[in-house]
Amino acid sequence: MVFGTGCKKFLEETDPSNLTPDTYYTIPEHAEAALAAGYAQTRFIGGGAGIFVANFSMLEVVTGTARTETGQNSDLNNLVGLQYNGDNLLVRNWWNGLYSVIAQTNLVLDRVPAITPMDETRKAQILGEARFLRAWAYFYLVRLYGDVPLITKPQTTESEDFLPQRKSLEEGYALIVDDLSQAEAAGLPWMDASGRASRAAVKSLLAKVYLTMAGQPLNKGAEYYRLAADKAKDVIDNSGATLFATYADLHSLAQENKGEHIFQIQYLASVAGNPMQQLLLPNFKNVSAYSDEVGSTVPTTQFYNSYEPNDLRARDRQGFFYTSYYDGGDGALKPLNAPYIFKHFDVVANGTAGTKGTAQADLNWPLIRYADVLLIYAEAQNRADGSPNAQAYEALNSIRRRAQIPVLAGLSQTTFEEAVWRERWHELCYEGQTWFDMVRLRKVYNEATNGFDAFVGHKFPDNPTIVLAEKHYLFPLPTAEMRNNPNLTPQNPGY
């Protein structure tokens, strides 16, 4: 009898080391850890996508401003040639990575409210940060894939909507705006040097969302240009964010999460190092401490040559590019005979003159930069009011002054708008921005004419056989996801 009772008690006991969502979210530290896991999921952008490629490349090589020096990854090659479909690994990784962020933030939003006792101010901030991250992920999804499932609760195989249907773009943007509006009211600081989402990050992202809604495909026009301008102006006037004095600060470890950097993906070599340094280096030209130098994503010469004369951003190792570097990272300076991306170059990891690199990259990856906010304001105010005001000119010209090129004045609405667009191409290159500008504007910068072509029919200067078509407004849904969930049909047009 005693033996039987003991067995019954043993079988009824709960293993304290077996944590589940029902048993984990019980103390404030659990809320912090769960939110940190949401931030960690954003690192999928730098995650691998087969040999010699990371996911960030998808948004660059389809713009015509980037090419590859390695031909060993067929998925990357298909993106370069605009011949991709739903089987493409990078297309699938973006879908899965974004929904991983959403899954983690849904857990935070569902479980953290019930944690007691907990400081209510910090609880509100955690929920606000989670809403920001969820909105950030959905904003990518609707721009990349169009109508997508809107999952707002934690899922299990028993969930009623475990095989969800796609929702309209209007519903998707409504969720994004609602999440960001609630995050605005969450009591976040204007800036946060720890790398967490801040009020400036929330308002900057909301300005970008409104600007996108004003353009294609929703085409909401003047009202949303006004909303975008007002949000951007709020950041300009109140956040304390500033342009860095030098471009070197953009990739300086000492300047991370401050000044111009409003929101970044966080890296620390001892925990999760930046994996993109080797991919951006010239293909095995021995200019760093790394043994692998891939050249996975590098600038096209045509785009590099499109900068205005004397533009500091195109000056070797002073702006966004380098055309020479030190042998082995720390030896004699040598020419490279092509431009490479200096904007994301980790000097400590790669090395510099007389100083050997560590081959361990701590450098963060930019997601929202103050320069983008200035250009959002300039474009949106001009469209909302019919002509640029003094602050719009100042927003545009502050970026041009830093580049040491002439300031602009006396432009019409149209010529000012195109000047802002050109500045977006030249200032925000290789930050995952250009493709989305192409889609919302239905325009593409033409490096040869310095003007803008219609999206459909634009030929890539680096290879004029590559031509943009209407199908390219959206990426295809991943084939594997459509097999797993028949409710995702139909596939996007043209795929």
Side-chain angles (χ1 to χ4, degrees):
M1 184 180 295
V2 172
F3 181 77
T5 302
C7 284
K8 184 177 181 181
K9 181 178 179 181
F10 171 77
L11 292 173
E12 289 179 348
E13 284 184 345
T14 301
D15 181 358
S17 67
N18 186 16
L19 297 174
T20 69
D22 292 325
T23 60
Y24 180 73
Y25 291 87
T26 56
I27 59 175
E29 289 79 4
H30 292 169
E32 298 284 0
L35 179 63
Y39 284 109
Q41 295 292 343
T42 64
R43 296 193 191 108
F44 83 87
I45 289 178
I51 187 171
F52 297 153
V53 179
N55 295 320
F56 82 90
S57 295
M58 186 179 86
L59 296 182
E60 303 302 342
V61 296
V62 292
T63 67
T65 66
R67 61 186 181 87
T68 182
E69 290 186 334
T70 176
Q72 294 172 278
N73 188 297
S74 60
D75 290 310
L76 180 64
N77 292 338
N78 288 336
L79 286 162
V80 171
L82 299 181
Q83 298 298 317
Y84 50 85
N85 58 28
D87 294 324
N88 190 283
L89 180 58
L90 288 87
V91 170
R92 184 163 79 247
N93 284 355
W94 272 88
W95 176 281
N96 291 338
L98 292 165
Y99 273 113
S100 293
V101 175
I102 291 164
Q104 186 60 37
T105 53
N106 280 343
L107 278 170
V108 173
L109 292 167
D110 186 71
R111 306 292 177 158
V112 168
I115 296 178
T116 303
M118 183 175 178
D119 179 78
E120 291 301 318
T121 297
R122 182 59 192 142
K123 180 186 288 188
Q125 290 176 336
I126 286 174
L127 296 175
E129 292 175 60
R131 287 191 179 276
F132 167 83
L133 289 173
R134 186 168 72 176
W136 173 85
Y138 272 122
F139 187 40
Y140 274 109
L141 282 166
V142 297
R143 290 180 296 168
L144 290 171
Y145 306 102
D147 299 345
V148 296
L150 302 179
I151 303 167
T152 58
K153 296 290 183 183
Q155 298 291 298
T156 69
T157 53
E158 287 76 37
S159 296
E160 185 176 345
D161 57 346
F162 186 67
L163 298 176
Q165 295 181 335
R166 301 168 73 176
K167 300 295 184 181
S168 70
L169 272 183
E170 290 279 1
E171 292 173 284
Y173 275 101
L175 173 61
I176 293 164
V177 170
D178 181 65
D179 270 351
L180 291 175
S181 297
Q182 291 194 56
E184 269 190 297
L188 301 175
W190 266 108
M191 297 286 282
D192 193 327
S194 72
R196 293 178 179 274
S198 63
R199 195 182 313 177
V202 174
K203 290 178 181 288
S204 298
L205 184 59
L206 192 49
K208 187 183 289 288
V209 169
Y210 285 142
L211 184 71
T212 303
M213 295 175 75
Q216 299 293 340
L218 293 182
N219 200 27
K220 289 185 175 291
E223 177 187 356
Y224 278 76
Y225 281 118
R226 169 55 56 205
L227 290 169
D230 289 347
K231 287 299 174 190
K233 189 173 187 299
D234 196 2
V235 177
I236 293 168
D237 292 347
N238 299 305
S239 70
T242 58
L243 290 179
F244 288 133
T246 71
Y247 295 116
D249 287 335
L250 288 175
H251 50 118
S252 165
L253 296 175
Q255 298 296 338
E256 292 182 331
N257 304 318
K258 62 182 71 169
E260 192 165 344
H261 289 308
I262 292 177
F263 188 60
Q264 299 182 286
I265 298 176
Q266 305 297 300
Y267 287 109
L268 185 64
S270 59
V271 179
N274 182 323
M276 292 173 273
Q277 291 301 307
Q278 301 100 304
L279 299 177
L280 295 173
L281 293 169
N283 185 247
F284 292 103
K285 292 187 178 179
N286 190 31
V287 294
S288 78
Y290 287 99
S291 58
D292 292 334
E293 298 178 342
V294 179
S296 176
T297 304
V298 302
T300 62
T301 301
Q302 289 86 345
F303 179 70
Y304 172 71
N305 288 336
S306 71
Y307 282 78
E308 293 180 37
N310 301 315
D311 192 322
L312 188 61
R313 291 170 296 192
R315 203 171 299 170
D316 185 23
R317 289 172 285 119
Q318 295 185 53
F320 296 166
F321 304 88
Y322 63 109
T323 56
S324 66
Y325 208 67
Y326 305 104
D327 191 57
D330 62 337
L333 189 66
K334 62 182 181 181
L336 301 175
N337 302 316
Y340 296 92
I341 300 170
F342 202 53
K343 179 185 280 187
H344 306 301
F345 192 91
D346 189 333
V347 174
V348 174
N350 289 298
T352 189
T355 304
K356 189 72 175 175
T358 64
Q360 298 290 319
D362 294 321
L363 192 65
N364 290 346
W365 187 264
L367 293 175
I368 302 175
R369 219 167 25 97
Y370 184 61
D372 191 5
V373 177
L374 291 171
L375 293 171
I376 289 171
Y377 176 77
E379 180 181 349
Q381 182 279 320
N382 179 52
R383 286 298 296 267
D385 294 338
S387 62
N389 64 17
Q391 192 166 13
Y393 269 110
E394 176 56 27
L396 175 61
N397 283 330
S398 63
I399 291 172
R400 292 180 63 84
R401 278 195 297 271
R402 182 171 65 172
Q404 299 181 7
I405 52 178
V407 298
L408 302 175
L411 305 179
S412 68
Q413 181 188 34
T414 300
T415 54
F416 181 86
E417 180 173 64
E418 290 197 357
V420 173
W421 294 348
R422 271 188 291 273
E423 218 56 59
R424 290 190 65 83
W425 253 259
H426 288 133
E427 177 66 27
L428 304 176
C429 58
Y430 313 118
E431 295 182 42
Q433 307 278 1
T434 303
W435 176 255
F436 296 124
D437 281 339
M438 290 166 58
V439 171
R440 71 177 176 87
L441 296 172
R442 300 293 197 255
K443 300 281 187 182
V444 185
Y445 176 60
N446 185 316
E447 293 98 330
T449 66
N450 202 35
F452 288 86
D453 297 342
F455 183 101
V456 175
H458 174 77
K459 298 179 180 180
F460 285 3
D462 196 52
N463 187 344
T465 64
I466 302 173
V467 183
L468 286 165
E470 191 170 342
K471 64 180 269 187
H472 297 124
Y473 291 149
L474 294 173
F475 283 85
L477 271 65
T479 304
E481 295 300 316
M482 297 190 74
R483 289 196 188 106
N484 291 335
N485 179 8
N487 291 333
L488 292 177
T489 56
Q491 177 62 279
N492 284 334
Y495 297 103

